[in-house]
Amino acid sequence: MKKILFYILITVFIGSIPSFFLNISDKYKSLNKPPFSPPGFLFPIVWTILFVLMGISIYKIVKTGSQNTKEAKLIYFIQLIVNALWTPIFFGLDEYFLAFLWILMLILLVITMLIIFSKIDKISVYLNIPYLLWLLFACYLTFGTFILN
C-alpha cells in the first residue's frame, strides 16, 4: 500500500508543483480562449484524477518486475517532467506557440510511454488513455489560445 501511495503522491507532486508558483486562475480568465474551453475550476479536478491514474499505472509497471521496467520508469518520469514544464511555458512565459510545440512533444512521449507500457502491463496502458485524450484536447486549447492571443 505504501508503494502505490508513493507513486500516486510523487506523480501529483511533480505534476502540480509549477501551479503553486504561478497565478494560473487569473491568467486563464484573461485569455481569449477557443470554443469548448472548459471553466478554469475544472482543470485541477481533471489533472488530479489523471495524476492518480498515472501514479497507479506506474506502480503497476514497477510491481511486475519486468525487464523493461527501468525503461518504462525512465520514459514515465521524463514525460511527467515535460508535462510539468508546460505550465511555466504557457502561464509563466506567455509563450503560447512554444507551449503548443511542447505539448506536441509531450504527446509523442506519452505515446512512446504507452508503447513501452503495452509490453509490460495492458491495464497500465488503459489507465493512461484518459491522459492522452486530455492532452490532445489540451493541444487544441493551446493552439487555439496561441491563435487568439
Side-chain angles (χ1 to χ4, degrees):
M1 190 63 163
K2 285 182 183 178
K3 279 193 175 187
I4 194 168
L5 283 175
F6 168 78
Y7 284 108
I8 291 170
L9 291 176
I10 196 74
T11 300
V12 170
F13 178 75
I14 291 171
S16 302
I17 198 161
S19 301
F20 296 124
F21 298 102
L22 298 165
N23 189 0
I24 292 172
S25 180
D26 288 344
K27 180 67 169 192
Y28 183 73
K29 288 177 190 172
S30 73
L31 294 171
N32 295 315
K33 294 174 276 305
F36 309 112
S37 293
F41 74 85
L42 192 61
F43 288 96
I45 296 167
V46 170
W47 277 112
T48 301
I49 293 167
L50 294 174
F51 288 145
V52 168
L53 292 173
M54 291 164 63
I56 294 168
S57 77
I58 193 62
Y59 165 75
K60 289 183 62 51
I61 292 293
V62 170
K63 192 174 101 168
T64 67
S66 165
Q67 64 184 15
N68 296 329
T69 299
K70 191 173 184 177
E71 179 185 22
K73 279 177 65 175
L74 179 63
I75 190 72
Y76 177 81
F77 283 104
I78 289 171
Q79 69 78 28
L80 186 58
I81 291 166
V82 169
N83 178 317
L85 291 173
W86 179 91
T87 300
I89 292 168
F90 186 90
F91 288 105
L93 301 174
D94 301 330
E95 291 289 343
Y96 306 128
F97 185 68
L98 178 59
F100 171 68
L101 297 176
W102 198 263
I103 203 167
L104 288 175
M105 177 177 63
L106 177 57
I107 289 167
L108 292 175
L109 285 168
V110 170
I111 290 169
T112 303
M113 179 185 78
L114 295 181
I115 291 167
I116 294 168
F117 278 20
S118 71
K119 298 173 187 171
I120 303 170
D121 181 70
K122 299 286 189 226
I123 293 174
S124 293
V125 175
Y126 301 140
L127 288 169
N128 282 285
I129 297 299
Y131 175 41
L132 181 58
L133 294 173
W134 184 256
L135 287 177
L136 292 169
F137 180 59
C139 187
Y140 154 76
L141 294 175
T142 303
F143 186 73
T145 302
F146 163 67
I147 295 297
L148 296 172
N149 293 276

